[in-house]
Amino acid sequence: MAESIDWWIIPVLDVDGFVYTYEKKSSWLKSNPDFFDACRSSNYSRKPTKPNPHFDQCNGPQVTFESTPEIELLKKFIDTNLPKDYIKIYIGLHSGVQAVLTPCNNMEEFPPNYNQLMFVAKAFVDALFPRFHTQYSYGTSANILNWAYAEKGIPIALGIGLPKDRAMPFQLPKRAILRLSKELLDGFIGLIKAVKELGHI
């Protein structure tokens, strides 16, 4: 899997928000322009509008998904460095959900290959489960996946929300890192196998 597929990895997309969660507020899920103003920050995993846009986990009323500098740079990097139709799988990892998510939330209809997306999501969940019996759900998700799928034409775009701890919903204890890494690898092996079955790679 490592040798037959090219992997492009961006370890942390929202660097400022990542630091802020450790130094100030662990429940913060947004980007952080304007000195961490909740009303001007964006959550990449949420729709542009939410009932309480000033909440730490929702988009602010004065921001659009495309306007955030992190997303703008990510889009520019992909457009500049990778040829059209080169990317076959897009995966976004984040925390506190324990689910595999597909790009449907902002669309009026399911995407044409919705069944394929669900097939791959289920393959990841099924392959991950046996080692430690961690149960992931799978369903629909958010903006960045919709961009990857609808605008860039990436056939398999998924968000994987990592497990959460009851005491700290958006953090895991250090002792969980090795366990999580092992089961994620199992899941990715199942995911790649499913994508190959579908003929995308």
Side-chain angles (χ1 to χ4, degrees):
M1 184 171 73
E3 296 179 355
S4 62
I5 299 173
D6 293 331
W7 295 82
W8 294 71
I9 299 173
I10 301 175
V12 180
L13 180 60
D14 178 17
V15 178
D16 292 333
F18 178 78
V19 173
Y20 191 73
T21 60
Y22 276 88
E23 294 183 349
K24 301 291 183 180
K25 200 168 192 178
S26 64
S27 64
W28 185 269
L29 294 183
K30 295 180 168 185
S31 64
N32 291 297
D34 299 321
F35 304 101
F36 310 102
D37 180 351
C39 296
R40 296 177 180 271
S41 299
S42 176
N43 184 337
Y44 308 142
S45 298
R46 296 290 187 274
K47 288 184 177 182
T49 57
K50 279 286 181 178
N52 183 3
H54 305 284
F55 185 49
D56 293 349
Q57 300 175 22
C58 299
N59 280 307
Q62 302 178 45
V63 69
T64 63
F65 172 73
E66 291 81 4
S67 71
T68 60
E70 297 86 359
I71 297 300
E72 184 179 353
L73 287 173
L74 174 64
K75 293 169 69 174
K76 182 178 180 181
F77 172 81
I78 292 176
D79 290 338
T80 302
N81 294 281
L82 304 176
K84 182 177 174 59
D85 300 325
Y86 175 78
I87 304 176
K88 303 302 181 183
I89 305 170
Y90 179 97
I91 297 172
L93 291 174
H94 56 99
S95 61
V97 181
Q98 199 162 315
V100 183
L101 307 169
T102 64
C104 305
N105 222 22
N106 292 339
M107 302 178 182
E108 294 181 0
E109 300 177 354
F110 289 132
N113 72 334
Y114 177 73
N115 289 336
Q116 290 190 353
L117 290 166
M118 296 303 285
F119 173 75
V120 174
K122 184 177 184 301
F124 177 90
V125 171
D126 290 347
L128 180 147
F129 179 76
R131 187 185 291 268
F132 300 115
H133 296 120
T134 304
Q135 184 65 61
Y136 278 59
S137 58
Y138 52 98
T140 60
S141 184
N143 292 320
I144 194 167
L145 297 182
N146 291 342
W147 169 80
Y149 178 86
E151 294 190 29
K152 289 303 296 179
I154 300 171
I156 304 298
L158 299 172
I160 299 176
L162 303 179
K164 55 187 177 181
D165 184 87
R166 291 182 179 179
M168 299 181 295
F170 302 105
Q171 297 183 37
L172 282 178
K174 292 180 180 179
R175 65 179 182 277
I177 293 176
L178 183 58
R179 169 185 173 136
L180 175 62
S181 299
K182 289 179 178 179
E183 63 185 14
L184 275 181
L185 179 58
D186 292 340
F188 279 125
I189 290 172
L191 182 151
I192 296 298
K193 181 179 178 181
V195 175
K196 286 183 177 179
E197 285 185 31
L198 294 172
H200 291 300
I201 56 177

